[in-house]
Amino acid sequence: METSRTTPELQAYLLGHQDDLVTYIIQFNELMSRYNAAIKEVTTKLEILKSDFQIRNCRSSIESIQSRIKKPASILKKMRSKGIEVSLDTIRSELNDVAGIRVVCPFIDDIYMVADKLAAQDDIRVITIKDYIRNPKENGYRSYHMIVEVPIFLMDKKEMIRVEVQLRTVAMDFWASLEHEMKYKKEIGDCQGIVEELRQCADTIADTDRRMLDLRKRIAGGQTPDEDTD
Ligand code: 0O2
């Protein structure tokens, strides 16, 4: 796709290539519907894991599951920032997060358990894992990222589609959501110590996550089987 035309040039170009444009839009929508299908497949798997865990353990391992398809403008922005030529093929081959699912868990060990159970399913192919919980980003960001491929079954074929699954605790989600909002409203320089303070907040939250997990284990360890079923 030509990206350097000025707006009038682009308009003239599009008017002269209307058939190409319509074909392109149809193919783009087809590709997005495949990402939608992949989101449904992975979300269903997560919901089944959630309810099975709930039945066996009388507590929830997943607080919420949200999903989104990356908007066309964000797709273009990301590809341009990475210097990737924009085409339907490169969207598919080069972008990992067109389909995104965010899983929020109560405790840190729930994250690793859910991630392991998902990865172990024989129709899921794990492409990459970034563990920003054991290896937080410089700014304090923590989350467990999995890029997976899942089969979707179409009328005439099966296709493997990539989905990014981000898993985090409620506390990590609180920090990441606010940091994302603040970061996108304004470019943060470190002149007022804001970056450092945000990182300190992330560290405090991580410490609280660890203490809450420890408390849950101590409470569970102190329970008799009868108390456990209350
Ligand atoms: P948005 O608007 O959330 O979609 P890759 O995708 O692997 O080629 P990338 O994008 O560096 O390269 O991957 P990474 O580090 O796994 O980050 C992917 C996503 O994680 C981001 O998507 C964010 O959603 C989230 N993320 C990563 N770092 C941060 C951070 O410092 N703060 C917050 N709040 N979220 C973060 P996008 O496309 O950047 O944004």
Side-chain angles (χ1 to χ4, degrees):
M1 180 191 272
E2 185 65 69
T3 55
S4 59
R5 290 168 202 276
T6 60
T7 306
E9 277 174 332
L10 183 60
Q11 282 169 354
Y13 174 84
L14 294 176
L15 282 172
H17 295 78
Q18 282 182 5
D19 290 349
D20 289 355
L21 182 64
V22 170
T23 306
Y24 197 83
I25 289 171
I26 290 171
Q27 288 175 349
F28 181 81
N29 285 341
E30 268 177 19
L31 181 58
M32 292 304 118
S33 78
R34 282 157 171 65
Y35 283 114
N36 238 319
I39 280 181
K40 283 184 190 159
E41 293 283 357
V42 178
T43 301
T44 302
K45 287 173 177 298
L46 291 163
E47 278 166 355
I48 291 170
L49 286 175
K50 176 182 171 173
S51 79
D52 191 34
F53 184 92
Q54 172 90 52
I55 288 164
R56 290 163 190 254
N57 297 282
C58 299
R59 74 169 187 89
S60 192
S61 57
I62 295 178
E63 287 279 333
S64 67
I65 304 168
Q66 290 172 346
S67 62
R68 63 106 181 91
I69 298 283
K70 211 172 183 68
K71 293 195 182 87
S74 302
I75 292 176
L76 278 180
K77 192 174 161 199
K78 188 154 195 173
M79 296 190 88
R80 283 180 186 153
S81 74
K82 290 184 172 231
I84 301 165
E85 188 201 344
V86 181
S87 73
L88 294 174
D89 285 343
T90 54
I91 289 174
R92 203 164 163 154
S93 61
E94 304 299 323
L95 285 194
N96 290 326
D97 66 342
V98 176
I101 300 180
R102 185 164 293 152
V103 184
V104 176
C105 300
F107 297 98
I108 299 172
D109 62 347
D110 294 324
I111 292 174
Y112 290 103
M113 185 275 296
V114 172
D116 284 352
K117 298 296 174 195
L118 183 65
Q121 300 194 2
D122 57 17
D123 54 350
I124 286 277
R125 191 187 298 158
V126 178
I127 307 296
T128 50
I129 290 191
K130 288 187 196 168
D131 188 346
Y132 292 125
I133 297 174
R134 290 194 174 117
N135 305 296
K137 286 180 69 172
E138 189 80 7
N139 62 357
Y141 176 77
R142 287 168 174 80
S143 220
Y144 189 88
H145 292 191
M146 303 171 82
I147 308 295
V148 300
E149 275 183 352
V150 63
I152 60 158
F153 294 87
L154 303 168
M155 297 291 283
D156 53 347
K157 60 186 167 185
K158 173 178 103 169
E159 284 187 20
M160 295 300 286
I161 301 291
R162 228 174 272 180
V163 178
E164 184 191 60
V165 185
Q166 295 181 353
L167 299 109
R168 25 173 102 145
T169 62
V170 181
M172 291 170 196
D173 190 51
F174 160 75
W175 184 93
S177 302
L178 296 186
E179 191 261 2
H180 189 270
E181 197 183 297
M182 291 190 281
K183 215 171 68 176
Y184 277 71
K185 277 186 184 165
K186 208 171 172 183
E187 199 56 47
I188 305 171
D190 202 19
C191 53
Q192 298 164 58
I194 291 172
V195 171
E196 175 56 21
E197 201 162 335
L198 268 169
R199 201 187 51 74
Q200 284 174 15
C201 288
D203 291 348
T204 305
I205 280 169
D207 187 48
T208 307
D209 259 337
R210 279 189 288 272
R211 290 169 65 191
M212 294 301 278
L213 176 59
D214 184 54
L215 280 167
R216 193 200 77 212
K217 288 181 174 171
R218 279 160 58 197
I219 290 166
Q223 278 177 341
T224 65
D226 281 342
E227 286 168 322
D228 213 5
T229 56
D230 274 353

